[in-house]
Amino acid sequence: MSKEPVAVTGIGQTKHVAARRDVSIAGLVREAARRALDDAELDWADIDAVVIGKAPDFFEGVMMPELYLADALGAVGKPMLRVHTAGSVGGSTALVAANLVAARVHSTVLTLAFEKQSESNAMWGLSLPIPFQQPLLAGAGGFFAPHVRAYMRRSGAPDTVGSLVAYKDRRNALKNPYAHLHEHDITLEKVQASPMLWDPIRYSETCPSSDGACAMVLTDRAGAARSTKPPAWMLGGAMRSEPTLFAGKDAVSPQAGKDCAADVYRQAGIADPRRDIDAVEMYVPFSWYEPMWLENLGFADEGEGWKLTESGVTELDGDLPVNMSGGVLSTNPIGASGMIRFAEAALQVRGQAGEHQVDGARKVLGHAYGGGSQFFSMWLVGATAPDN
């Protein structure tokens, strides 16, 4: 039996900010969920199940928050599932929800991911002492900076590429009303003059800490037919993982990322991603990961990704726009960051991305990664339903 086609008919985000002190976690997630339901022109009673995701519970110190959030999300008496795959969790949460629809377990599913970083300290939460983990040197940036340096050595990329990505994404964020960072006075010179945190990563080339939530309504073909707005159709989706450390691991271009992308392209019938995909919402918490992931996802040959960035290909008006919304560099409620990539991809193919809309976007990739570059989740969405 073929899979049921999966459509995104509702999308909701909160305004992402440094601290939402006006709401609890429950209020935050309900805000995003209500906006997704309103977009889908549905109510709580129309939802068959809820799939929720977030980053580690110790970030906020609330263990198993999904239990107390059931009421806020209209999930009392309904199946509710929690997903966790580190930073990629927002994407994998959406994929778990999509699979419930594709398998015809449920007709309409609400999926949501969130983080309230103002009630935690993720940097020090990710800096546990030996012997509990390898030293990260104050947060994720300390872990990833050596990988960036390895990429620079391998590719010969000039040290200006990271600042070009950050300058682009922060300008894109100005066109996105939900983005956290709106730096109206941003210039390339300001990015390049910002303090060095983890060589070669500068302060303005890093993601912020955000409070925020993102939700989507996923439904079957019958549900999409009832929608008065254009749906985004899931053309392919996949998750892959690998150990954080193992002999032969390529930290610059992990095999799990390549395999995940290849599976998505196979499902969607994509022969040449550079030609066949119109835009990408990519998980880039540190600016250098744009050229690195362009190679990992097959948009550029090894060592060539930085040239796409440098030549303007990834600009909003470029041949392959990347992170039209401003990306993780501008908005980072960790648990939701991956789902925001997926949701922004869906907004593009629905033609609802506002000022950061890419003209004629028909197929857009959403991408997320997490942990020590060992968890990956991706989906490709399109403006027309798949053939099956």
Side-chain angles (χ1 to χ4, degrees), residues 323-345:
N323 290 335
M324 302 73 71
S325 65
V328 180
L329 277 178
S330 304
T331 301
N332 187 36
I334 298 175
S337 294
M339 187 172 290
I340 295 169
R341 310 280 69 73
F342 281 34
E344 286 286 347

Side-chain angles (χ1 to χ4, degrees), residues 330-366:
S330 304
T331 301
N332 187 36
I334 298 175
S337 294
M339 187 172 290
I340 295 169
R341 310 280 69 73
F342 281 34
E344 286 286 347
L347 284 172
Q348 288 287 339
V349 299
R350 296 176 81 195
Q352 295 181 332
E355 289 187 43
H356 60 284
Q357 176 71 46
V358 174
D359 290 341
R362 303 287 294 173
K363 293 180 180 177
V364 179
L365 183 71

